Amino acid sequence: MKPFYRWIHITLGTVFLGIGIAGIFLPLLPTTPFLLLTSYFYTRGSDRVNNWFRSTAFYKEYVKDFKRGGLTKKQKIKILVTGYSCLAISAYFVDHFYARIFLGCIAIGQLASMFIIKTKTEEPTEAIMKK
């Protein structure tokens, strides 16, 4: 691969990493899709940068389990509680009727996504320690 394209991939991966990290704190911005894009671009950009990203807590918490095919019940509850708390606070402070309808639609979409994503059983702590 040409070095120029390599740097484009690394740059795009870094941009999506920043957006993904912002998504951790902003309720309407999803985290996992942007971190998946980060993984995609880092894989094509540099082995060293990709290995670094895969060793971060962001990758392990948001991407690794998602790539394995599901989230645990605890993760789903954490996502719903955080998201609904932020949506409720937003709905409380906004005075526009259609904005509240929009926030309600987001809440319904978030709940629907939790039913679509497969629920995994949690691994015992001893099994994790052996890995």
Side-chain angles (χ1 to χ4, degrees):
M1 180 181 291
K2 295 180 182 178
F4 178 71
Y5 293 119
R6 180 175 168 236
W7 286 108
I8 289 175
H9 285 117
I10 293 171
T11 302
L12 286 171
T14 304
V15 167
F16 287 123
L17 177 62
I19 296 171
I21 291 171
I24 294 170
F25 305 104
L26 300 172
L28 300 179
L29 190 64
T31 301
T32 304
F34 290 110
L35 294 180
L36 286 169
L37 284 169
T38 300
S39 181
Y40 173 83
F41 284 112
Y42 280 173
T43 299
R44 280 144 187 79
S46 165
D47 288 336
R48 184 175 59 88
V49 175
N50 187 45
N51 290 336
W52 166 80
F53 176 64
R54 288 177 182 246
S55 70
T56 63
F58 301 119
Y59 180 84
K60 291 175 184 172
E61 186 172 343
Y62 293 98
V63 179
K64 192 174 184 180
D65 288 336
F66 189 81
K67 279 186 172 181
R68 286 185 183 168
L71 299 171
T72 64
K73 192 175 183 181
K74 183 179 178 181
Q75 289 172 319
K76 285 184 174 187
I77 291 170
K78 180 181 173 185
I79 290 168
L80 286 174
V81 167
T82 305
Y84 279 7
S85 299
C86 294
L87 288 171
I89 291 168
S90 299
Y92 178 77
F93 285 109
V94 72
D95 282 338
H96 199 269
F97 175 74
Y98 292 111
R100 287 184 177 160
I101 296 293
F102 181 69
L103 291 171
C105 290
I106 291 172
I108 291 168
Q110 187 180 26
L111 183 62
S113 69
M114 290 302 123
F115 284 113
I116 293 170
I117 297 172
K118 180 182 163 188
T119 305
K120 298 185 329 182
T121 56
E122 294 189 37
E123 295 179 13
T125 334
E126 294 173 7
I128 295 171
M129 299 303 264
K130 290 180 182 178
K131 288 183 180 180

